[in-house]
Amino acid sequence: MPRIAYVNGRYITHADAAVHIEDRGYQFADGVYEVCEVARGFIVDMPRHLARLNRSLTELSIAWPVTRNVLPLILREVVNRNHVVNGLVYVQVTRGVASREFVFPSANVKPALVVTARKADPAAGAKRAETGIAVITVPENRWDRVDIKTVGLLPNVLAKQKAKEAGAQEAWFVDADGNVKEGGSSNAWIVNRDGVLVTRPAEHGILRGITRTTMFEVAARLGLKIEEREFSVAEAKAAREAFISSATTIAMPIVAIDGDPIANGHPGSITLSLRHAFFDIAEKSPA
Ligand code: PDD
């Protein structure tokens, strides 16, 4: 069964799916994206992801490539045509195809839309959560509009590659004051000695993760308090627990930061309880 991608109005086999060499996403990273988890046949938190997509498009003055109520139908179609029950669906919108000029092309140039989906084995994520992950820290070197989910991810690519080479699974960007911003593709959290969750405010300097937003509801349901404030690498290393959140990892325990174990070096119980409660509380749109 071949994989199917949606490219600018057509459903085509993944192997044949292509965009033009003068697509501005390819030339300038002039585009935005979303990744939604697909779990047990549901698209998780889809309305929130589409609301953030709308924000990203608005911030960059890119028009919607299709009307807003049509995009969920395309997502569902791509998920179903690829028989994805567990995995992810990826949406990318770029400013479109035009001869290479830095300034925006004429309003006649239509934004380009690509949607793909792929399967993932939920057992692999569960297994990883049993052992936890290691993170390294890297200096923040991204632009200051990382609140927009753009495809300009080169610093994230380099940071995550560095993590991989160090035997870790994520890199945390750290600001000039020594405070943790977020991961290369995830938000950063710690649990303090009193069992309070701490995460950096999302007003500025990080992406407002959808999983992060939903985690506030999960925490409330579990009777856990959240403090939105900055925390340092030193505080994280001394924390009771640490974890990352993203659509692809949900809450994933961290067991080491820069080689130093967190607490006893095993996944924390609060992180695991958030992970286990997440799916029940997140919004589930049937695919
Ligand atoms: N990344 N911060 C960054 C820099 C991210 O790239 C992501 C997600 C997040 C978490 O956002 P959310 O909870 O909405 O997934 C935070 C996706 C998964 C990716 O690029 O693959």
Side-chain angles (χ1 to χ4, degrees):
M1 188 67 81
R3 278 182 74 193
I4 301 294
Y6 173 96
V7 184
N8 295 324
R10 293 167 60 216
Y11 294 93
I12 43 186
T13 55
H14 198 270
D16 298 322
V19 293
H20 195 275
I21 54 169
E22 292 211 288
D23 187 289
R24 290 178 63 96
Y26 177 59
Q27 290 186 332
F28 295 117
D30 189 0
V32 299
Y33 75 106
E34 283 295 326
V35 179
C36 302
E37 186 199 12
V38 180
R40 299 173 219 171
F42 294 96
I43 303 178
V44 177
D45 284 331
M46 182 166 65
R48 280 183 172 155
H49 281 280
L50 296 185
R52 187 174 62 186
L53 179 67
N54 183 56
R55 178 179 183 276
S56 297
L57 291 169
T58 305
E59 289 293 323
L60 298 182
S61 305
I62 299 176
W64 269 76
V66 291
T67 53
R68 204 169 155 175
N69 54 353
V70 166
L71 192 53
L73 308 178
I74 299 172
L75 262 62
R76 286 196 182 103
E77 189 68 22
V78 173
V79 167
N80 288 324
R81 285 192 188 217
N82 289 284
H83 307 288
V84 175
V85 177
N86 293 293
L88 62 85
V89 57
Y90 176 85
V91 185
Q92 179 173 308
V93 182
T94 71
R95 203 180 301 276
V97 175
S99 88
R100 188 178 178 280
E101 302 287 344
F102 282 78
V103 294
F104 294 176
S106 97
N108 301 332
V109 171
K110 267 185 66 69
L113 173 62
V114 169
V115 181
T116 58
R118 76 171 188 229
K119 296 176 184 173
D121 178 10
K127 198 157 172 246
R128 172 134 283 181
E130 274 173 30
T131 49
I133 62 163
V135 303
I136 62 163
T137 59
V138 294
E140 176 65 283
N141 61 355
R142 301 174 298 165
W143 74 328
D144 66 359
R145 292 308 311 273
V146 293
D147 57 301
I148 308 172
K149 198 163 173 58
T150 81
V151 295
L153 292 169
L154 189 53
N156 311 54
V157 166
L158 298 178
K160 287 179 76 86
Q161 178 63 23
K162 194 171 175 197
K164 185 181 177 190
E165 287 166 10
Q169 288 75 34
E170 181 58 298
W172 272 1
F173 290 111
V174 175
D175 68 18
D177 300 323
N179 291 321
V180 175
K181 294 189 86 181
E182 62 179 335
S185 60
S186 59
N187 289 120
W189 300 74
I190 58 172
V191 182
N192 74 12
R193 297 275 144 203
D194 302 323
V196 174
L197 310 184
V198 181
T199 194
R200 189 178 175 110
E203 274 68 47
H204 192 68
I206 64 166
L207 182 74
R208 185 184 291 276
I210 301 304
T211 318
R212 177 188 180 282
T213 298
T214 299
M215 207 58 84
F216 278 67
E217 289 169 21
V218 180
R221 200 75 73 86
L222 296 180
L224 296 165
K225 276 204 259 164
I226 297 185
E227 271 177 29
E228 269 188 291
R229 63 166 172 83
E230 294 181 348
F231 61 88
S232 67
V233 175
E235 187 179 358
K237 285 185 178 180
R240 175 162 146 187
E241 301 184 20
F243 67 96
I244 59 168
S245 68
S246 77
T248 47
T249 61
I250 311 305
M252 181 59 72
I254 292 171
V255 293
I257 300 173
D258 289 334
D260 295 334
I262 303 307
N264 63 2
H266 292 288
S269 58
I270 291 177
T271 304
L272 293 178
S273 64
L274 291 164
R275 180 182 178 83
H276 292 138
F278 185 85
F279 183 71
D280 288 339
I281 291 157
E283 188 173 347
K284 295 167 280 288
S285 306

